[in-house]
Amino acid sequence: MILTKPLRLHPDRLFPSDPTTRDIARRLYATVKDLPIVSPHGHTDPRWFAYDEPFANPADLLIVPDHYVFRMLYSQGVRLDELGVPTIDGSATESDPRAIWHRFAANYHLFRGTPSRMWLDWVFAEAFGIDVRLEPETADHYYDIIDAALKTDAFRPRALFERYNIEVIATTEGPLDPLDHHRAIRQSGWGGKVVTAYRPDPVLDPDDPKFIDNVQRFCAMAGEDAGSFAGYLRAHEKRRADFRAAGATSTDHGHPSAFTANLPRAEIEALYARVTTGPATREEAELFRGHMLTEMARMSIADGMVMQLHPGVHRNHNDAVRARFGRDKGADIPTAGEFVQALKPLLDLYGNDPRLTLILFTLDEDVYSRELAPLAGHYPALKLGPPWWFNDSPEGMRRFRERATETAGFYNTVGFNDDTRAFLSIPARHDVARRMDCGWLAQLVAEHRLEEDEAFDVARALAYDLVKAAYKL
């Protein structure tokens, strides 16, 4: 007989331990826990919703595509090929999903205390109704329950979208994407709202090894001349229009830094000619990216699209992993950020224009109180995005509120976004954010810094209203 340990999600999880404050948090949470989910920025695959095909198996759903999961396992010596992560050259990796699941279960203890453990336990308990903990002894029990569920219509992407009361979800596509999946969604007659977002990095970043070829293909798609900077700008305007037709209300920029520039026309034309015909120096690449952020802000004022800036990551830090498995395989590392001087050229031009919304994210928590909150607390064009990536955790959410609220307030922030590839983690992540925000508001009420009726208003705003307004959804 196998002795199992129960899997329980405590109803007061993440709430303050002080009884008075916890009671306030409970009351606040009760009013927001069932609000619709607005997911304005993420990386779910639009083909899921276009064709509504079943997810293949538990490993392909929860392990193989999720860098949050396999980066922890890799750090403890589990090879990526043992987890079925595909290789660039097509060389063999583990193809038995049950074997992958067993390796995951054998190492599930590694996730204790992490946000990933919290999200995954939510998925196991709430989505699949499992009531015992994942351990080596229960691995097959888990696999069989999840695998059987995935074969039912109730676990197809559209059914899950509706089950978790997702009002709208934004995927993220590159400038060379033909947007066929979004076209198929619109033509299918299904009522779920799935929109795209414009991520032009492959044609903005001269450090991308394929940049020159990308620009040629990009301009050809738009019917413009890649040999002129004017033609290149028109290509962006046309592709932005294509994305808006697919529902996009936002752009997204994952630059190495927040650096912006405003070059004279002759200088940017000469720089464009250099970076699109030969290898760019590091300084030229940064200058081009910086000027193009300013151009993107100009275009956003013209077409109404919201800008998001996600800087400050050394992406693909592990060269050996990138060489074999490609990009985005868990080796991205946060770097220090600077915004005050970096954003000034853009803000000098457009920071006072309320028609622009530029949402700022960071992985450098030190700049919340020193730079980002004061900037967003002054410029009409700026808003603060929620804790992102490595900071998307209970502690990260608490630190964000503590450091940003006193200067930026609540209404210069934009609520929560999950920024995830893992579809079933979306309701789990939103639940964590709602619980943490209610706990923070409860503390303000308990300390007589906020009236309880005001806290109810703010709780709803943080869970629902602010994100809809900021992203024009």
Side-chain angles (χ1 to χ4, degrees):
M1 178 178 178
I2 297 175
L3 296 177
T4 59
K5 302 179 183 69
L7 173 62
R8 299 192 187 101
L9 301 183
H10 197 284
D12 287 335
R13 62 191 181 278
L14 300 174
F15 289 164
S17 58
D18 171 71
T20 299
T21 312
R22 184 173 61 236
D23 285 345
I24 300 170
R26 287 170 176 162
R27 293 196 293 272
L28 294 170
Y29 175 70
T31 67
V32 300
K33 67 183 181 71
D34 294 324
L35 288 174
I37 289 174
V38 176
S39 179
H41 172 69
H43 303 279
T44 52
D45 191 336
R47 79 181 67 203
W48 295 342
F49 309 108
Y51 308 113
D52 202 31
E53 296 171 345
F55 293 105
N57 57 67
D60 281 349
L61 175 65
L62 296 170
I63 302 171
V64 178
D66 193 343
H67 60 82
Y68 283 91
V69 171
F70 59 67
R71 78 184 303 272
M72 176 63 80
L73 301 177
Y74 183 79
S75 77
Q76 288 285 310
V78 182
R79 301 195 314 272
L80 295 186
D81 60 308
E82 293 179 304
L83 298 170
V85 178
T87 56
I88 290 178
D89 62 7
S91 57
T93 63
E94 179 62 71
S95 59
D96 181 353
R98 192 179 289 269
I100 295 170
W101 189 264
H102 272 269
R103 290 190 182 97
F104 172 55
N107 290 281
Y108 195 54
H109 63 280
L110 300 176
F111 295 92
R112 289 170 178 164
T114 68
S116 296
R117 169 67 181 266
M118 189 165 43
W119 301 327
L120 286 164
D121 280 354
W122 188 98
V123 170
F124 298 149
E126 293 292 328
F128 295 103
I130 300 173
D131 60 3
V132 297
R133 283 187 228 166
L134 179 59
E135 298 173 309
E137 296 78 12
T138 61
D140 283 321
H141 176 69
Y142 264 73
Y143 189 94
D144 292 340
I145 288 176
I146 297 172
D147 194 52
L150 295 182
K151 291 178 169 59
T152 68
D153 288 343
F155 280 83
R156 288 178 182 260
R158 293 181 183 178
L160 291 170
F161 186 103
E162 294 161 1
R163 171 179 172 182
Y164 292 116
N165 197 18
I166 298 175
E167 183 175 310
V168 57
I169 192 170
T171 65
T172 306
E173 276 67 59
L176 301 177
D177 195 297
L179 301 176
D180 291 340
H181 301 315
H182 283 275
R183 194 171 298 109
I185 293 170
R186 296 196 303 276
Q187 293 172 352
S188 71
W190 176 55
K193 187 173 182 180
V194 180
V195 302
T196 185
Y198 184 57
R199 177 80 173 237
D201 295 0
V203 296
L204 292 189
D205 184 6
D207 284 335
D208 188 317
K210 297 181 179 179
F211 172 74
I212 295 175
D213 180 61
N214 288 343
V215 170
Q216 294 290 330
R217 293 171 55 206
F218 171 67
C219 290
M221 284 183 73
E224 293 293 343
D225 176 18
S228 76
F229 184 64
Y232 171 74
L233 292 181
R234 287 194 298 271
H236 276 289
E237 290 165 351
K238 288 182 177 180
R239 288 301 284 151
R240 290 168 68 105
D242 293 340
F243 274 68
R244 292 199 308 279
T249 65
S250 65
T251 70
D252 184 39
H253 309 273
H255 290 205
S257 75
F259 174 78
T260 63
N262 178 27
L263 300 178
R265 186 69 176 201
E267 287 188 29
I268 184 56
E269 288 176 347
L271 179 60
Y272 175 77
R274 291 197 300 275
V275 301
T276 56
T277 56
T281 67
R282 181 175 299 179
E283 292 75 17
E284 287 173 335
E286 181 77 338
L287 190 59
F288 185 77
R289 287 189 298 262
H291 180 85
M292 286 309 300
L293 279 180
T294 304
E295 293 283 3
M296 293 292 106
R298 176 185 61 79
M299 292 183 193
S300 283
I301 290 173
D303 64 21
M305 294 180 79
V306 174
M307 282 184 72
Q308 301 172 94
L309 180 58
H310 287 84
V313 188
H314 187 133
R315 296 180 184 269
N316 310 296
H317 192 274
N318 189 326
D319 292 340
V321 166
R322 179 176 180 176
R324 186 171 184 213
F325 296 95
R327 302 171 61 90
D328 304 323
K329 295 299 181 289
D332 300 328
I333 308 297
T335 60
E338 194 282 319
F339 291 83
V340 174
Q341 297 305 320
L343 289 175
K344 196 168 190 313
L346 186 153
L347 295 176
D348 283 345
L349 287 171
Y350 306 122
N352 299 303
D353 194 328
R355 294 176 297 172
L356 174 66
T357 297
L358 172 55
I359 302 173
L360 302 175
F361 296 80
T362 189
L363 292 175
D364 182 359
E365 294 177 308
D366 290 341
V367 302
Y368 282 150
S369 57
R370 186 181 68 240
E371 299 186 27
L372 289 182
L375 283 166
H378 173 73
Y379 282 99
L382 294 184
K383 294 286 185 288
L384 297 187
W388 166 49
W389 203 342
F390 291 89
N391 301 329
D392 181 9
S393 64
E395 289 77 12
M397 293 172 184
R398 182 181 294 112
R399 289 191 294 266
F400 175 77
R401 292 295 173 209
E402 289 173 345
R403 298 179 184 187
T405 304
E406 62 186 4
T407 305
F410 290 113
Y411 295 92
N412 283 313
T413 66
V414 300
F416 180 68
N417 75 56
D418 47 79
D419 193 18
T420 186
R421 292 173 172 80
F423 184 29
L424 284 178
S425 79
I426 290 174
R429 290 168 185 252
H430 282 261
D431 186 63
V432 169
R434 292 174 184 187
R435 287 174 177 274
M436 290 304 299
D437 281 338
C438 287
W440 172 244
L441 291 168
Q443 181 178 331
L444 298 184
V445 173
E447 294 173 356
H448 307 291
R449 299 166 60 191
L450 191 70
E451 294 297 331
E452 189 163 336
D453 65 306
E454 295 177 297
F456 282 106
D457 291 341
V458 176
R460 178 188 168 90
L462 295 177
Y464 184 73
D465 297 331
L466 290 177
V467 65
K468 289 195 69 174
Y471 283 87
K472 302 181 180 180
L473 294 168

